[in-house]
Amino acid sequence: MFDVALNPRVYRRCDGLGRRDFLRVGGLSVLGLSLSQLLKSEASAAAIHSSAAKARSVILVFLGGGISHHDSFDMKPDAPAEVRGQFRPSATNVPGTMICEHLPRMARIMDRVALVRSGAHQNNNHEIATNWVLSGRFGSGFGDFPAMGAVVSHEKGFTGVLPPYVAVPQNPSFSWELGKSAFLGGRYESFKTGDPNAANFRVRDISPGEPISARRLERRQSLLAAVDGLARQVHGSDQIATYDEFRGRAASMILSPETQRAFGIDDERPELRDRYGRTTFGQSCLLARRLIEHDVRFVTINAAGWDHHAKIFQHLEKKLPEFDQGLSALIEDMTSRGLLDQTLVVVFGEFGRTPKINKDVGRDHWEQAASLLFAGAGVQGGKVIGATDKQGAQVTTKPTGPADVAATIYGLLGIDPQKMLTEPDGRQTPILDKGEFIGELFG
């Protein structure tokens, strides 16, 4: 959406480089062309007949930075102290399955969740690994391949006035290019909502309860007219190739009561908002549920802040309870509303963390083992798939790579992962070049 630098925050990567994280807002502004670029998602080129598809939509919770599997879902209580860490394992409602003591709410619903303890790949660089796990394709890490959400937008298109691909609050922050549409072009880019936990959260110009004043309407019409003029001057650009068609979508979206309702998080009961947690992650989960209710096909919840090279246990004592509260509320709420049957919820980071605690009481990058969670859309809850060795260092059974996760997501949505996409230079490339459907998730 519109990249307006309101209250910019700088996230520090472990290599010391900072990347400015802008609040993305959805209003018309001097950057108004972005809305039409975003809303150019075209209807699926061909109907995909997939009686096996069980998911209508996907919520991807991305734990940017890489959550420590040792201190969350794959604890090693019998390992040496420098491996097992400071937290204790706790029983769940699935006999024999233990997770961290700081995840008590998740422990009570693990019978609805499948746990994969064998995530693995071969790169420990944030950008490269993030691009890999979000797209299912290995590349340089700077947006070589489109994120799964962008592919879903390309293949499925609009089902209503809302964009098919939404990022809450924004795309992953390690690089502007990650989680984006790559060679598919801006028409399949994500809609960024901004922070739903911000005071008086509003997605500008589509906020509920705000009357459309004459001034605001004039501003919109003037901007659209100006963009029309620009469109007539530029030819052959992907960003405006179908501008006229999707200009109408832009107008429909910002004026639609349905759009206002979808983003109207303040309409929720205070008690339910409290249940999710009054945090950015908790309210992002709640907003994701609302978007799924309004036919958004793919929502990425960007839950950054897991890159703990130092003081990991001090940080996790705060991060894990927030994660526990928000994710458990999402699963329970979607179950009670009948949404989970047709929605896949998948949770992962770009990699795991090192088995041995370092001199700064942290854990470093570790691509050779990680834990992932799956729920909904026919996933058989209570299952534990794959395993790591006694120190959580190496996968010993059922290695699961990024392409396997992507193939599973696409398969559930009825998208052929071998379908060829056309790059701007005319070259053909498959959505995925490898990957197997994780059948064990479904019994």
Side-chain angles (χ1 to χ4, degrees):
M1 277 312 293
F2 304 104
D3 303 344
V4 181
L6 302 177
N7 300 320
R9 294 179 293 169
V10 175
Y11 286 94
R12 288 285 165 186
R13 293 181 356 185
C14 54
D15 58 10
L17 298 176
R19 292 189 184 273
R20 191 169 296 276
D21 196 6
F22 293 95
L23 176 64
R24 316 290 187 132
V25 297
L28 286 173
S29 67
V30 294
L31 300 178
L33 181 60
S34 297
L35 184 56
S36 291
Q37 292 169 354
L38 168 69
L39 294 174
K40 288 179 185 176
S41 293
E42 300 179 35
S44 180
I48 298 174
H49 302 286
S50 177
S51 58
K54 296 181 180 179
R56 176 173 174 77
S57 52
V58 172
I59 296 176
L60 192 166
V61 179
F62 181 66
L63 306 179
I67 188 173
S68 170
H69 54 295
H70 292 84
D71 307 302
S72 56
F73 293 99
D74 192 11
M75 306 190 75
K76 303 296 180 182
D78 298 326
E82 65 270 20
V83 173
R84 69 172 179 264
Q86 297 179 10
F87 299 155
R88 295 174 298 179
S90 179
T92 70
N93 66 349
V94 178
T97 299
M98 310 282 281
I99 62 175
C100 179
E101 61 183 319
H102 293 294
L103 299 168
R105 291 180 173 89
M106 288 301 299
R108 293 194 288 269
I109 63 166
M110 287 303 290
D111 60 336
R112 305 181 197 177
V113 178
L115 170 58
V116 175
R117 285 177 167 160
S118 53
H121 54 74
Q122 298 83 44
N123 191 279
N124 67 1
N125 173 276
H126 281 300
E127 285 87 348
I128 295 175
T130 297
N131 191 69
W132 196 353
V133 299
L134 292 180
S135 69
R137 295 286 304 266
F138 178 78
S140 68
F142 296 98
D144 288 0
F145 298 102
M148 287 180 278
V151 173
V152 172
S153 177
H154 181 272
E155 295 299 306
K156 295 296 186 180
F158 281 78
T159 57
V161 296
L162 289 172
Y165 176 28
V166 178
V168 187
Q170 69 277 315
N171 284 341
S173 56
F174 281 119
S175 168
W176 292 121
E177 298 303 318
L178 302 183
K180 296 185 73 174
S181 53
F183 60 78
L184 290 179
R187 69 184 69 182
Y188 303 112
E189 181 53 81
S190 62
F191 181 103
K192 291 90 176 165
T193 67
D195 184 355
N197 193 49
N200 300 315
F201 167 67
R202 292 290 186 272
V203 180
R204 187 181 171 197
D205 282 329
I206 56 174
S207 300
E210 293 183 1
I212 301 174
S213 66
R215 181 179 179 182
R216 288 178 66 207
L217 184 59
E218 180 182 1
R219 175 164 60 91
R220 292 175 177 178
Q221 296 300 328
S222 297
L223 180 60
L224 289 173
V227 176
D228 276 340
L230 175 62
R232 287 192 292 270
Q233 299 174 36
V234 183
H235 301 282
S237 168
D238 169 77
Q239 300 299 320
I240 61 173
T242 55
Y243 174 77
D244 287 340
E245 176 184 353
F246 290 97
R247 177 179 179 274
R249 286 198 183 278
S252 296
M253 178 178 167
I254 62 179
L255 297 174
S256 168
E258 180 183 352
T259 303
Q260 295 178 359
R261 287 192 297 270
F263 287 100
I265 197 169
D266 286 341
D267 293 340
E268 296 286 352
R269 292 180 294 107
E271 296 81 6
L272 184 62
R273 296 193 70 178
D274 291 342
R275 169 64 184 91
Y276 275 87
R278 299 285 184 151
T279 62
T280 295
F281 178 69
Q283 298 304 295
S284 294
C285 289
L286 176 54
L287 181 57
R289 189 222 80 204
R290 293 181 64 89
L291 293 172
I292 294 300
E293 284 182 309
H294 288 82
D295 289 331
V296 172
R297 302 304 293 269
F298 201 105
V299 179
T300 295
I301 299 174
N302 179 33
W306 299 91
D307 192 27
H308 300 133
H309 291 271
K311 300 180 180 179
I312 186 170
F313 303 107
Q314 178 179 329
H315 290 299
L316 289 179
E317 283 178 348
K318 181 177 185 295
K319 292 285 291 183
L320 287 174
E322 290 181 357
F323 169 77
D324 182 53
Q325 184 171 2
L327 184 62
S328 62
L330 176 65
I331 294 173
E332 290 182 333
D333 195 14
M334 293 190 69
T335 299
S336 68
R337 294 168 185 267
L339 296 171
L340 200 60
D341 289 343
Q342 294 187 358
T343 304
L344 177 69
V345 178
V346 57
V347 183
F348 55 76
E350 65 264 47
F351 38 55
R353 311 301 294 188
T354 50
K356 189 173 182 180
I357 300 167
N358 65 28
K359 62 181 179 58
D360 298 315
V361 196
R363 298 187 193 266
D364 302 313
H365 304 176
W366 192 256
E367 73 281 13
Q368 299 173 57
S371 293
L372 305 84
L373 304 178
F374 294 81
V379 168
Q380 185 176 341
K383 298 195 74 171
V384 177
I385 299 169
T388 57
D389 61 22
K390 293 181 179 180
Q391 295 195 348
Q394 303 292 331
V395 170
T396 57
T397 60
K398 187 55 182 177
T400 302
D404 302 319
V405 175
T408 303
I409 291 173
Y410 289 138
L412 287 175
L413 289 170
I415 295 173
D416 179 5
Q418 299 303 310
K419 181 179 179 180
M420 304 301 286
L421 301 175
T422 303
E423 298 193 37
D425 62 3
R427 288 184 299 175
Q428 298 285 298
T429 187
I431 294 175
L432 295 178
D433 58 352
K434 62 176 66 174
E436 297 181 3
F437 189 87
I438 309 171
E440 293 90 339
L441 289 170
F442 305 94

Short mmCIF file of all heavy atoms in Angstrom, two decimals, residues 137-193:
data_model
loop_
_atom_site.label_atom_id
_atom_site.label_comp_id
_atom_site.label_asym_id
_atom_site.label_seq_id
_atom_site.Cartn_x
_atom_site.Cartn_y
_atom_site.Cartn_z
N ARG A 137 10.94 -21.00 -3.00
CA ARG A 137 12.00 -21.05 -4.01
C ARG A 137 13.27 -20.44 -3.45
O ARG A 137 13.25 -19.39 -2.81
CB ARG A 137 11.59 -20.28 -5.28
CG ARG A 137 10.41 -20.83 -6.05
CD ARG A 137 10.77 -22.08 -6.83
NE ARG A 137 11.88 -21.91 -7.75
CZ ARG A 137 11.75 -21.60 -9.04
NH1 ARG A 137 10.55 -21.38 -9.57
NH2 ARG A 137 12.83 -21.50 -9.82
N PHE A 138 14.41 -21.08 -3.73
CA PHE A 138 15.68 -20.54 -3.29
C PHE A 138 16.17 -19.48 -4.26
O PHE A 138 16.18 -19.68 -5.48
CB PHE A 138 16.74 -21.64 -3.19
CG PHE A 138 18.10 -21.13 -2.76
CD1 PHE A 138 18.35 -20.84 -1.43
CD2 PHE A 138 19.10 -20.92 -3.69
CE1 PHE A 138 19.58 -20.36 -1.04
CE2 PHE A 138 20.34 -20.44 -3.31
CZ PHE A 138 20.58 -20.15 -1.98
N GLY A 139 16.57 -18.33 -3.72
CA GLY A 139 17.09 -17.25 -4.56
C GLY A 139 18.11 -16.44 -3.80
O GLY A 139 18.59 -16.84 -2.74
N SER A 140 18.42 -15.28 -4.32
CA SER A 140 19.45 -14.44 -3.71
C SER A 140 18.98 -13.83 -2.40
O SER A 140 19.79 -13.36 -1.61
CB SER A 140 19.84 -13.32 -4.68
OG SER A 140 18.77 -12.41 -4.85
N GLY A 141 17.68 -13.80 -2.19
CA GLY A 141 17.15 -13.21 -0.96
C GLY A 141 16.60 -11.82 -1.16
O GLY A 141 16.11 -11.21 -0.23
N PHE A 142 16.68 -11.26 -2.35
CA PHE A 142 16.21 -9.90 -2.57
C PHE A 142 15.03 -9.88 -3.54
O PHE A 142 14.98 -9.11 -4.49
CB PHE A 142 17.36 -9.03 -3.07
CG PHE A 142 18.45 -8.90 -2.04
CD1 PHE A 142 19.57 -9.71 -2.10
CD2 PHE A 142 18.32 -8.02 -0.99
CE1 PHE A 142 20.56 -9.61 -1.13
CE2 PHE A 142 19.30 -7.90 -0.02
CZ PHE A 142 20.43 -8.71 -0.08
N GLY A 143 14.09 -10.78 -3.30
CA GLY A 143 12.86 -10.75 -4.07
C GLY A 143 12.94 -11.43 -5.41
O GLY A 143 12.25 -11.05 -6.35
N ASP A 144 13.78 -12.47 -5.54
CA ASP A 144 13.87 -13.19 -6.81
C ASP A 144 12.55 -13.86 -7.18
O ASP A 144 12.21 -13.95 -8.36
CB ASP A 144 14.96 -14.27 -6.72
CG ASP A 144 16.35 -13.67 -6.73
OD1 ASP A 144 16.46 -12.44 -6.79
OD2 ASP A 144 17.33 -14.44 -6.66
N PHE A 145 11.85 -14.36 -6.17
CA PHE A 145 10.63 -15.12 -6.42
C PHE A 145 9.48 -14.53 -5.59
O PHE A 145 9.68 -14.06 -4.48
CB PHE A 145 10.83 -16.59 -6.09
CG PHE A 145 11.88 -17.25 -6.93
CD1 PHE A 145 13.14 -17.49 -6.41
CD2 PHE A 145 11.62 -17.59 -8.24
CE1 PHE A 145 14.13 -18.08 -7.19
CE2 PHE A 145 12.60 -18.17 -9.04
CZ PHE A 145 13.86 -18.42 -8.52
N PRO A 146 8.28 -14.57 -6.15
CA PRO A 146 7.15 -13.97 -5.43
C PRO A 146 6.77 -14.76 -4.19
O PRO A 146 6.84 -15.99 -4.16
CB PRO A 146 6.02 -14.00 -6.47
CG PRO A 146 6.39 -15.10 -7.41
CD PRO A 146 7.89 -15.10 -7.47
N ALA A 147 6.36 -14.05 -3.17
CA ALA A 147 5.86 -14.68 -1.96
C ALA A 147 4.60 -15.47 -2.27
O ALA A 147 3.89 -15.20 -3.25
CB ALA A 147 5.56 -13.61 -0.90
N MET A 148 4.32 -16.46 -1.43
CA MET A 148 3.14 -17.29 -1.65
C MET A 148 1.87 -16.45 -1.73
O MET A 148 0.98 -16.74 -2.53
CB MET A 148 3.03 -18.34 -0.54
CG MET A 148 4.06 -19.44 -0.66
SD MET A 148 3.91 -20.67 0.67
CE MET A 148 4.80 -19.86 2.01
N GLY A 149 1.78 -15.42 -0.90
CA GLY A 149 0.59 -14.58 -0.94
C GLY A 149 0.40 -13.91 -2.28
O GLY A 149 -0.72 -13.78 -2.77
N ALA A 150 1.51 -13.49 -2.90
CA ALA A 150 1.43 -12.86 -4.22
C ALA A 150 0.99 -13.87 -5.27
O ALA A 150 0.22 -13.54 -6.18
CB ALA A 150 2.78 -12.25 -4.59
N VAL A 151 1.50 -15.09 -5.17
CA VAL A 151 1.09 -16.13 -6.12
C VAL A 151 -0.40 -16.43 -5.95
O VAL A 151 -1.13 -16.60 -6.94
CB VAL A 151 1.94 -17.40 -5.94
CG1 VAL A 151 1.40 -18.54 -6.81
CG2 VAL A 151 3.41 -17.12 -6.27
N VAL A 152 -0.86 -16.52 -4.72
CA VAL A 152 -2.28 -16.75 -4.48
C VAL A 152 -3.11 -15.61 -5.07
O VAL A 152 -4.16 -15.84 -5.70
CB VAL A 152 -2.56 -16.91 -2.97
CG1 VAL A 152 -4.06 -16.95 -2.69
CG2 VAL A 152 -1.89 -18.19 -2.45
N SER A 153 -2.66 -14.37 -4.90
CA SER A 153 -3.34 -13.24 -5.49
C SER A 153 -3.39 -13.37 -7.01
O SER A 153 -4.43 -13.12 -7.64
CB SER A 153 -2.62 -11.94 -5.10
OG SER A 153 -3.21 -10.82 -5.71
N HIS A 154 -2.28 -13.79 -7.60
CA HIS A 154 -2.20 -13.98 -9.05
C HIS A 154 -3.15 -15.06 -9.54
O HIS A 154 -3.83 -14.92 -10.57
CB HIS A 154 -0.76 -14.32 -9.42
CG HIS A 154 -0.51 -14.52 -10.88
ND1 HIS A 154 -0.66 -15.75 -11.50
CD2 HIS A 154 -0.10 -13.67 -11.85
CE1 HIS A 154 -0.36 -15.63 -12.78
NE2 HIS A 154 -0.02 -14.38 -13.02
N GLU A 155 -3.20 -16.16 -8.81
CA GLU A 155 -3.96 -17.32 -9.26
C GLU A 155 -5.44 -17.26 -8.89
O GLU A 155 -6.29 -17.77 -9.63
CB GLU A 155 -3.35 -18.60 -8.67
CG GLU A 155 -1.96 -18.91 -9.18
CD GLU A 155 -1.93 -19.10 -10.68
OE1 GLU A 155 -2.70 -19.95 -11.18
OE2 GLU A 155 -1.17 -18.38 -11.37
N LYS A 156 -5.75 -16.65 -7.78
CA LYS A 156 -7.14 -16.66 -7.29
C LYS A 156 -7.87 -15.35 -7.53
O LYS A 156 -9.09 -15.34 -7.69
CB LYS A 156 -7.17 -16.99 -5.78
CG LYS A 156 -6.69 -18.40 -5.45
CD LYS A 156 -7.62 -19.45 -6.05
CE LYS A 156 -7.24 -20.85 -5.60
NZ LYS A 156 -8.14 -21.87 -6.17
N GLY A 157 -7.15 -14.24 -7.53
CA GLY A 157 -7.77 -12.97 -7.78
C GLY A 157 -8.74 -12.54 -6.70
O GLY A 157 -8.76 -13.09 -5.60
N PHE A 158 -9.56 -11.57 -7.01
CA PHE A 158 -10.52 -11.01 -6.06
C PHE A 158 -11.74 -11.91 -5.91
O PHE A 158 -12.21 -12.51 -6.87
CB PHE A 158 -11.00 -9.63 -6.53
CG PHE A 158 -10.03 -8.52 -6.28
CD1 PHE A 158 -8.93 -8.36 -7.10
CD2 PHE A 158 -10.23 -7.65 -5.23
CE1 PHE A 158 -8.03 -7.32 -6.87
CE2 PHE A 158 -9.33 -6.61 -4.99
CZ PHE A 158 -8.24 -6.44 -5.82
N THR A 159 -12.26 -11.98 -4.69
CA THR A 159 -13.55 -12.61 -4.45
C THR A 159 -14.58 -11.58 -4.01
O THR A 159 -15.75 -11.89 -3.86
CB THR A 159 -13.43 -13.70 -3.38
OG1 THR A 159 -12.90 -13.12 -2.18
CG2 THR A 159 -12.52 -14.83 -3.85
N GLY A 160 -14.13 -10.37 -3.76
CA GLY A 160 -15.01 -9.28 -3.36
C GLY A 160 -14.27 -7.98 -3.57
O GLY A 160 -13.45 -7.86 -4.48
N VAL A 161 -14.53 -6.99 -2.72
CA VAL A 161 -13.88 -5.70 -2.90
C VAL A 161 -12.51 -5.65 -2.24
O VAL A 161 -11.68 -4.80 -2.59
CB VAL A 161 -14.75 -4.55 -2.37
CG1 VAL A 161 -16.04 -4.45 -3.16
CG2 VAL A 161 -15.03 -4.71 -0.88
N LEU A 162 -12.25 -6.53 -1.27
CA LEU A 162 -10.97 -6.50 -0.56
C LEU A 162 -9.88 -7.19 -1.37
O LEU A 162 -10.14 -8.13 -2.12
CB LEU A 162 -11.11 -7.18 0.80
CG LEU A 162 -11.92 -6.42 1.85
CD1 LEU A 162 -12.12 -7.29 3.08
CD2 LEU A 162 -11.23 -5.13 2.23
N PRO A 163 -8.63 -6.74 -1.21
CA PRO A 163 -7.53 -7.39 -1.91
C PRO A 163 -7.39 -8.84 -1.45
O PRO A 163 -7.67 -9.17 -0.29
CB PRO A 163 -6.30 -6.58 -1.50
CG PRO A 163 -6.83 -5.29 -0.96
CD PRO A 163 -8.18 -5.61 -0.40
N PRO A 164 -6.92 -9.72 -2.33
CA PRO A 164 -6.77 -11.12 -1.93
C PRO A 164 -5.57 -11.38 -1.03
O PRO A 164 -5.51 -12.42 -0.37
CB PRO A 164 -6.60 -11.84 -3.28
CG PRO A 164 -6.11 -10.80 -4.22
CD PRO A 164 -6.69 -9.50 -3.77
N TYR A 165 -4.60 -10.46 -0.98
CA TYR A 165 -3.36 -10.66 -0.22
C TYR A 165 -3.13 -9.45 0.68
O TYR A 165 -2.99 -8.33 0.19
CB TYR A 165 -2.20 -10.84 -1.21
CG TYR A 165 -0.82 -10.97 -0.63
CD1 TYR A 165 -0.58 -11.48 0.65
CD2 TYR A 165 0.30 -10.60 -1.39
CE1 TYR A 165 0.69 -11.61 1.16
CE2 TYR A 165 1.59 -10.73 -0.90
CZ TYR A 165 1.79 -11.23 0.37
OH TYR A 165 3.07 -11.36 0.88
N VAL A 166 -3.12 -9.69 1.99
CA VAL A 166 -2.96 -8.61 2.97
C VAL A 166 -1.84 -8.95 3.93
O VAL A 166 -1.72 -10.10 4.38
CB VAL A 166 -4.27 -8.38 3.74
CG1 VAL A 166 -4.10 -7.29 4.80
CG2 VAL A 166 -5.41 -8.01 2.79
N ALA A 167 -1.00 -7.96 4.25
CA ALA A 167 0.07 -8.12 5.23
C ALA A 167 -0.26 -7.26 6.45
O ALA A 167 -0.57 -6.08 6.33
CB ALA A 167 1.41 -7.70 4.64
N VAL A 168 -0.18 -7.88 7.63
CA VAL A 168 -0.47 -7.19 8.88
C VAL A 168 0.76 -7.30 9.80
O VAL A 168 1.20 -8.40 10.09
CB VAL A 168 -1.68 -7.83 9.60
CG1 VAL A 168 -2.09 -7.01 10.80
CG2 VAL A 168 -2.87 -8.04 8.65
N PRO A 169 1.33 -6.21 10.29
CA PRO A 169 1.08 -4.83 9.90
C PRO A 169 1.72 -4.44 8.55
O PRO A 169 1.29 -3.52 7.90
CB PRO A 169 1.75 -4.02 11.03
CG PRO A 169 2.01 -4.98 12.12
CD PRO A 169 2.21 -6.31 11.45
N GLN A 170 2.77 -5.19 8.13
CA GLN A 170 3.49 -4.89 6.89
C GLN A 170 4.24 -6.15 6.46
O GLN A 170 4.17 -7.18 7.12
CB GLN A 170 4.48 -3.74 7.09
CG GLN A 170 5.68 -4.05 7.98
CD GLN A 170 5.44 -3.93 9.45
OE1 GLN A 170 4.84 -2.96 9.89
NE2 GLN A 170 5.88 -4.91 10.23
N ASN A 171 4.97 -6.05 5.36
CA ASN A 171 5.81 -7.16 4.94
C ASN A 171 6.96 -7.35 5.92
O ASN A 171 7.28 -6.44 6.70
CB ASN A 171 6.38 -6.89 3.54
CG ASN A 171 5.34 -7.09 2.45
OD1 ASN A 171 4.33 -7.74 2.66
ND2 ASN A 171 5.60 -6.53 1.29
N PRO A 172 7.63 -8.51 5.89
CA PRO A 172 8.80 -8.71 6.74
C PRO A 172 9.80 -7.58 6.61
O PRO A 172 10.04 -7.06 5.51
CB PRO A 172 9.36 -10.05 6.25
CG PRO A 172 8.16 -10.77 5.78
CD PRO A 172 7.29 -9.72 5.14
N SER A 173 10.41 -7.20 7.73
CA SER A 173 11.16 -5.95 7.79
C SER A 173 12.64 -6.08 7.45
O SER A 173 13.33 -5.07 7.40
CB SER A 173 11.05 -5.36 9.20
OG SER A 173 11.48 -6.29 10.18
N PHE A 174 13.15 -7.28 7.22
CA PHE A 174 14.58 -7.41 6.95
C PHE A 174 14.95 -6.83 5.58
O PHE A 174 16.07 -6.44 5.35
CB PHE A 174 15.03 -8.86 7.03
CG PHE A 174 15.23 -9.32 8.44
CD1 PHE A 174 14.48 -10.37 8.95
CD2 PHE A 174 16.14 -8.70 9.26
CE1 PHE A 174 14.65 -10.79 10.26
CE2 PHE A 174 16.32 -9.11 10.58
CZ PHE A 174 15.58 -10.16 11.07
N SER A 175 14.02 -6.81 4.65
CA SER A 175 14.28 -6.23 3.34
C SER A 175 12.97 -5.78 2.74
O SER A 175 11.95 -6.45 2.88
CB SER A 175 14.95 -7.24 2.41
OG SER A 175 14.96 -6.77 1.07
N TRP A 176 13.00 -4.66 2.04
CA TRP A 176 11.78 -4.18 1.39
C TRP A 176 11.24 -5.21 0.41
O TRP A 176 10.05 -5.25 0.12
CB TRP A 176 12.05 -2.89 0.64
CG TRP A 176 12.35 -1.73 1.52
CD1 TRP A 176 13.48 -0.97 1.53
CD2 TRP A 176 11.52 -1.20 2.57
NE1 TRP A 176 13.40 -0.01 2.49
CE2 TRP A 176 12.21 -0.12 3.14
CE3 TRP A 176 10.27 -1.53 3.05
CZ2 TRP A 176 11.69 0.64 4.19
CZ3 TRP A 176 9.75 -0.79 4.09
CH2 TRP A 176 10.45 0.28 4.65
N GLU A 177 12.11 -6.03 -0.15
CA GLU A 177 11.69 -6.92 -1.22
C GLU A 177 11.05 -8.21 -0.71
O GLU A 177 10.42 -8.93 -1.46
CB GLU A 177 12.89 -7.27 -2.12
CG GLU A 177 13.50 -6.06 -2.81
CD GLU A 177 12.48 -5.30 -3.64
OE1 GLU A 177 11.68 -5.94 -4.32
OE2 GLU A 177 12.49 -4.06 -3.61
N LEU A 178 11.28 -8.57 0.55
CA LEU A 178 10.84 -9.87 1.02
C LEU A 178 9.34 -9.88 1.29
O LEU A 178 8.77 -8.92 1.79
CB LEU A 178 11.61 -10.26 2.28
CG LEU A 178 13.12 -10.30 2.09
CD1 LEU A 178 13.79 -10.77 3.37
CD2 LEU A 178 13.52 -11.19 0.93
N GLY A 179 8.71 -11.01 0.96
CA GLY A 179 7.28 -11.13 1.13
C GLY A 179 6.50 -10.41 0.05
O GLY A 179 5.31 -10.18 0.17
N LYS A 180 7.17 -10.04 -1.04
CA LYS A 180 6.54 -9.23 -2.07
C LYS A 180 6.24 -10.05 -3.32
O LYS A 180 6.35 -11.26 -3.35
CB LYS A 180 7.42 -8.02 -2.39
CG LYS A 180 7.58 -7.08 -1.18
CD LYS A 180 8.35 -5.83 -1.53
CE LYS A 180 7.51 -4.90 -2.39
NZ LYS A 180 8.19 -3.61 -2.63
N SER A 181 5.89 -9.32 -4.39
CA SER A 181 5.37 -9.98 -5.58
C SER A 181 6.44 -10.28 -6.63
O SER A 181 6.14 -10.95 -7.62
CB SER A 181 4.28 -9.11 -6.20
OG SER A 181 4.75 -7.79 -6.40
N ALA A 182 7.67 -9.77 -6.46
CA ALA A 182 8.79 -10.03 -7.37
C ALA A 182 8.37 -9.77 -8.82
O ALA A 182 7.74 -8.76 -9.12
CB ALA A 182 9.30 -11.45 -7.16
N PHE A 183 8.67 -10.72 -9.71
CA PHE A 183 8.43 -10.48 -11.13
C PHE A 183 6.96 -10.49 -11.52
O PHE A 183 6.60 -10.12 -12.64
CB PHE A 183 9.20 -11.52 -11.98
CG PHE A 183 8.82 -12.95 -11.72
CD1 PHE A 183 7.65 -13.48 -12.25
CD2 PHE A 183 9.63 -13.76 -10.97
CE1 PHE A 183 7.29 -14.79 -12.02
CE2 PHE A 183 9.29 -15.09 -10.74
CZ PHE A 183 8.12 -15.60 -11.26
N LEU A 184 6.08 -10.88 -10.60
CA LEU A 184 4.65 -10.82 -10.93
C LEU A 184 4.17 -9.38 -11.06
O LEU A 184 3.19 -9.11 -11.73
CB LEU A 184 3.82 -11.55 -9.86
CG LEU A 184 3.96 -13.06 -9.81
CD1 LEU A 184 3.10 -13.62 -8.69
CD2 LEU A 184 3.58 -13.69 -11.15
N GLY A 185 4.85 -8.47 -10.41
CA GLY A 185 4.50 -7.06 -10.54
C GLY A 185 3.62 -6.53 -9.42
O GLY A 185 3.06 -7.28 -8.62
N GLY A 186 3.53 -5.21 -9.35
CA GLY A 186 2.85 -4.54 -8.26
C GLY A 186 1.37 -4.85 -8.13
O GLY A 186 0.79 -4.68 -7.06
N ARG A 187 0.75 -5.31 -9.20
CA ARG A 187 -0.67 -5.61 -9.12
C ARG A 187 -0.97 -6.75 -8.16
O ARG A 187 -2.12 -6.90 -7.71
CB ARG A 187 -1.22 -5.94 -10.51
CG ARG A 187 -0.73 -7.25 -11.09
CD ARG A 187 -1.23 -7.47 -12.50
NE ARG A 187 -0.61 -6.54 -13.43
CZ ARG A 187 -0.90 -6.48 -14.72
NH1 ARG A 187 -1.81 -7.28 -15.22
NH2 ARG A 187 -0.30 -5.62 -15.50
N TYR A 188 0.03 -7.56 -7.81
CA TYR A 188 -0.18 -8.69 -6.91
C TYR A 188 0.47 -8.47 -5.55
O TYR A 188 0.64 -9.40 -4.78
CB TYR A 188 0.33 -9.98 -7.56
CG TYR A 188 -0.33 -10.21 -8.89
CD1 TYR A 188 0.39 -10.12 -10.07
CD2 TYR A 188 -1.70 -10.46 -8.96
CE1 TYR A 188 -0.23 -10.32 -11.30
CE2 TYR A 188 -2.33 -10.64 -10.18
CZ TYR A 188 -1.60 -10.56 -11.35
OH TYR A 188 -2.23 -10.73 -12.55
N GLU A 189 0.86 -7.23 -5.28
CA GLU A 189 1.49 -6.88 -4.02
C GLU A 189 0.49 -6.96 -2.87
O GLU A 189 -0.73 -6.90 -3.07
CB GLU A 189 2.09 -5.48 -4.14
CG GLU A 189 2.81 -4.97 -2.91
CD GLU A 189 3.85 -5.94 -2.43
OE1 GLU A 189 4.96 -5.95 -2.98
OE2 GLU A 189 3.53 -6.70 -1.50
N SER A 190 1.02 -7.08 -1.66
CA SER A 190 0.16 -7.12 -0.49
C SER A 190 -0.37 -5.74 -0.14
O SER A 190 0.25 -4.72 -0.40
CB SER A 190 0.95 -7.67 0.71
OG SER A 190 2.05 -6.82 1.02
N PHE A 191 -1.54 -5.74 0.48
CA PHE A 191 -2.11 -4.54 1.09
C PHE A 191 -1.60 -4.50 2.52
O PHE A 191 -1.81 -5.45 3.29
CB PHE A 191 -3.63 -4.65 1.05
CG PHE A 191 -4.37 -3.48 1.63
CD1 PHE A 191 -4.96 -2.55 0.79
CD2 PHE A 191 -4.50 -3.32 3.00
CE1 PHE A 191 -5.65 -1.47 1.33
CE2 PHE A 191 -5.18 -2.25 3.54
CZ PHE A 191 -5.77 -1.32 2.70
N LYS A 192 -0.92 -3.42 2.90
CA LYS A 192 -0.37 -3.31 4.26
C LYS A 192 -1.32 -2.52 5.14
O LYS A 192 -1.73 -1.41 4.80
CB LYS A 192 1.00 -2.64 4.24
CG LYS A 192 2.10 -3.47 3.61
CD LYS A 192 2.18 -3.19 2.15
CE LYS A 192 3.34 -3.92 1.49
NZ LYS A 192 3.20 -3.93 0.01
N THR A 193 -1.64 -3.05 6.29
CA THR A 193 -2.67 -2.45 7.12
C THR A 193 -2.14 -1.43 8.11
O THR A 193 -2.89 -0.58 8.59
CB THR A 193 -3.42 -3.52 7.92
OG1 THR A 193 -2.53 -4.11 8.88
CG2 THR A 193 -3.99 -4.59 7.00
#
